[in-house]
Amino acid sequence: QVHLVESGGGLVQAGGSLKLSCAASGRTFSSYTMGWFRQAPGKEREFVAGINWSGGSANHADSVKGRFTISRDNAKNTVYLQMNSLKPEDTAVYYCAARWGRTIVAPSAGDPYDYWGQGTQVTVSS
């Protein structure tokens, strides 16, 4: 089992940047595929980005491609989401998620996850 804790959210102006972190407990972090999701008020949760166990393969939603970058540091049991050129429509609660298993390719948007963090609020003002 893995416990996930997100941090780094906050209020930022449009065009600004934030870096989210997700710290995982346990000694098997490198055996998990990781993902970031978000949920805006009144909307369904949506996939933002995913990364395979080694960090060698990543996948980003079209809505954030070129602006957001997922990465991980297995030595620190942490996955990151660097968010640049933020837009008001990026406002949401951001969640990290973990799925057991080492895959060569990054996860797809519809892949299931086993564990979720509590979320961190990101608010982008116009």
Side-chain angles (χ1 to χ4, degrees), residues 21 35 44 46 54 59 62 65 71 73 102-103 117 124:
S21 299
E44 293 186 354
E46 65 174 351
S54 67
N59 182 26
D62 288 343
K65 201 168 292 184
S71 62
D73 185 338
R102 291 185 169 187
T103 59
V124 185

Side-chain angles (χ1 to χ4, degrees), residues 38-54:
R38 67 186 181 185
Q39 187 167 19
K43 296 187 177 181
E44 293 186 354
R45 185 174 62 197
E46 65 174 351
F47 171 83
V48 175
I51 192 166
N52 77 330
W53 71 275
S54 67

Side-chain angles (χ1 to χ4, degrees), residues 18-33:
L18 281 175
K19 186 173 185 177
L20 305 183
S21 299
C22 173
S25 64
R27 296 177 293 176
T28 58
F29 178 70
S30 64
S31 294
Y32 287 88
T33 295

Side-chain angles (χ1 to χ4, degrees), residues 10-114:
L11 174 65
V12 64
Q13 288 189 332
S17 298
L18 281 175
K19 186 173 185 177
L20 305 183
S21 299
C22 173
S25 64
R27 296 177 293 176
T28 58
F29 178 70
S30 64
S31 294
Y32 287 88
T33 295
M34 300 298 296
W36 283 99
F37 291 76
R38 67 186 181 185
Q39 187 167 19
K43 296 187 177 181
E44 293 186 354
R45 185 174 62 197
E46 65 174 351
F47 171 83
V48 175
I51 192 166
N52 77 330
W53 71 275
S54 67
S57 180
N59 182 26
H60 298 80
D62 288 343
S63 59
V64 306
K65 201 168 292 184
R67 300 188 299 122
F68 292 10
T69 303
I70 188 173
S71 62
R72 67 189 296 163
D73 185 338
N74 288 342
K76 296 183 177 179
N77 282 14
T78 302
V79 62
Y80 304 98
L81 185 68
Q82 177 66 49
M83 305 186 296
N84 299 328
S85 302
L86 282 160
K87 305 175 181 180
E89 51 263 43
D90 294 318
T91 295
V93 177
Y94 283 71
Y95 300 89
C96 73
R99 178 164 63 89
W100 177 263
R102 291 185 169 187
T103 59
I104 296 174
V105 298
S108 299
D111 287 349
Y113 286 79
D114 304 313

